[in-house]
Amino acid sequence: MPLPSPLVRAVETLLDKSLVLGYSSIGWYIRQPWLPPSPEPGSLTGRTVIVTGASSGLGRASAAGAAQLGARVRLIGRTAARLEDAARAIRRSLPHADLVVDVCDVSDLDAVRAWCSTIEEPLHAIVHSAGIMPPERSESAQGHELALATHVLGPLLMNDLLRPRLREDGDARIVWISSGGMYAAPLTEGLVADPEYRHGEYNGTRAYARTKRLQVVMAQREARQLGGDGITVHAMHPGWADTPGVTASLPRFAAVAKPILRTAEQGADTAVWLTAAPEVGTGDFWQDRRPRSTDFLPWQHTSRELADVVWRYCRSAAGLDG
Ligand SMILES: NC(=O)c1ccc[n+]([C@@H]2O[C@H](COP(=O)([O-])OP(=O)(O)OC[C@H]3O[C@@H](n4cnc5c(N)ncnc54)[C@H](OP(=O)(O)O)[C@@H]3O)[C@@H](O)[C@H]2O)c1
């Protein structure tokens, strides 16, 4: 991918650091002239893409985007009826879309194991969009804090169990849909000492940001672990998109920012692009089809030692070795 000119780089830095400009639809439109090219229609024909959280918002838009590129898409969520609604909506504009609806609660490690054991076809990509912002501390079926289980442990287990299926593709991609909110939660000793958020007053927004940071750390580690299998791993952030999740979890923000929120398709664009674009490398954190810094401020740089500790904790909590 060619490097943008110094002027474009300066504008990009301004957009990234201002938050409002970069994350809203304003940034989306400003960036259009220098956005790397879109994959060819049909470029995923004959390949299968899994999208979690596909019944709503960015997951649904990612499923539609992958289907538009010709992929067979497996839509994952907790409720069959909501997934069927999403599949029907996608088929209204893509009548020949090859869509499969699969119920699986990704926070439940037993459910993830059971569902993964049914997958026998080669896989090209997994897009992890399933997301929540719990109002109070609650726990998954295995007793893990729910945001951690949903955003980190279930996806980690799914990636590991489906590794043989991804390896068969030869150019497979894993995309973690993280959040710009992760900038508010650097990987501190406090976070690493208490990933299950057992101590201190629980705050759902904070739990969300912490686990979105952990997704970025997991993506970096998996990139190193899976590279030898021809699997690249990416984290991305969608900016601020108008989705049912944002309206339900952040109603005041959604109401005030409504005129400048991105559409779900704009928010999902980079996730879909990462499933098909050539030369995307591995282990980066993306927004609007460009790698971005993982730290908002230079001195917040993630320590390798803390990343090692939390990687080991999450793998072990997901029931994986080391
Ligand atoms: N929208 C934004 O501006 C924004 C910004 C930054 C990051 N994100 C990230 O983008 C992702 C999607 O967010 P969204 O705004 O599209 O939210 P959304 O409209 O609420 O969609 C969330 C999806 O996740 C699914 N889900 C939740 N828990 C699940 C579980 N345990 N197992 C399987 N599926 C589960 C929901 O399906 P069911 O309830 O039907 O199971 C739903 O399809 C999230 O990871 C979020 O952190 C969004």
Side-chain angles (χ1 to χ4, degrees):
M1 202 172 16
L3 276 178
S5 71
L7 177 64
V8 167
R9 283 210 295 276
V11 174
E12 284 284 14
T13 304
L14 179 72
L15 292 173
D16 285 344
K17 297 301 177 195
S18 73
L19 303 192
V20 176
L21 292 175
Y23 290 21
S24 67
S25 59
I26 299 169
W28 169 259
Y29 289 114
I30 291 176
R31 286 173 169 144
Q32 289 308 300
W34 63 82
L35 222 52
S38 298
E40 293 294 318
S43 55
L44 294 184
T45 301
R47 288 163 130 174
T48 297
V49 173
I50 287 170
V51 181
T52 74
S55 63
S56 177
L58 302 184
R60 180 162 140 179
S62 299
Q68 177 83 52
L69 293 174
R72 171 174 217 244
V73 185
R74 300 187 82 112
L75 292 84
I76 315 296
R78 292 170 295 185
T79 316
R82 278 167 56 76
L83 291 167
E84 295 288 2
D85 282 350
R88 258 193 303 279
I90 294 170
R91 286 201 187 97
R92 273 200 286 278
S93 50
L94 293 168
H96 302 297
D98 183 358
L99 308 175
V100 181
V101 159
D102 282 333
V103 172
C104 176
D105 179 338
V106 301
S107 74
D108 180 342
L109 301 175
D110 292 341
V112 170
R113 261 188 223 99
W115 177 75
C116 288
S117 72
T118 67
I119 303 299
E120 292 177 343
E121 66 202 299
L123 297 175
H124 174 63
I126 307 176
V127 177
H128 291 291
S129 190
I132 51 163
M133 193 179 282
E136 56 200 32
R137 191 179 185 285
S138 55
E139 294 188 344
S140 69
Q142 288 75 31
H144 298 291
E145 189 276 320
L146 198 59
L148 181 74
T150 307
H151 296 152
V152 182
L153 305 184
L156 208 53
L157 178 62
M158 186 181 288
N159 296 345
D160 194 88
L161 294 174
L162 296 179
R163 181 174 177 177
R165 304 281 81 84
L166 291 160
R167 192 190 291 133
E168 287 166 344
D169 181 84
D171 179 23
R173 323 274 171 101
I174 292 171
V175 182
W176 296 74
I177 299 193
S178 174
S179 166
M182 74 99 196
Y183 285 120
L187 192 70
T188 59
E189 286 183 15
L191 199 173
V192 172
D194 185 23
E196 301 273 1
Y197 215 146
R198 294 187 198 284
H199 305 289
E201 194 182 340
Y202 187 84
N203 173 312
T205 313
R206 184 111 196 98
Y208 174 87
R210 287 159 53 120
T211 53
K212 290 288 156 182
R213 163 64 66 180
L214 293 181
Q215 290 186 317
V216 177
V217 175
M218 297 301 120
Q220 289 171 332
R221 288 293 148 140
E222 282 188 331
R224 295 198 334 231
Q225 184 197 34
L226 303 180
D229 286 351
I231 303 167
T232 59
V233 189
H234 318 275
M236 57 78 68
H237 85 90
W240 297 331
D242 191 359
T243 64
V246 167
T247 309
S249 304
L250 303 167
R252 267 181 296 186
F253 167 76
V256 172
K258 183 123 187 129
I260 56 164
L261 289 180
R262 295 173 176 219
T263 64
E265 290 69 29
Q266 291 166 354
D269 171 82
T270 297
V272 176
W273 181 82
L274 283 165
T275 66
E279 297 173 44
V280 287
T282 190
D284 282 321
F285 180 58
W286 297 76
Q287 192 209 11
D288 290 341
R289 304 189 186 185
R290 296 273 178 211
R292 310 282 162 183
S293 170
T294 55
D295 316 299
F296 194 73
L297 299 168
W299 56 88
Q300 292 173 330
H301 195 64
T302 299
S303 114
R304 180 181 278 250
E305 291 71 27
L306 291 180
D308 280 344
V309 174
V310 83
W311 163 250
R312 282 199 297 274
Y313 176 81
C314 291
R315 286 207 32 106
S316 161
L320 299 166
D321 302 330

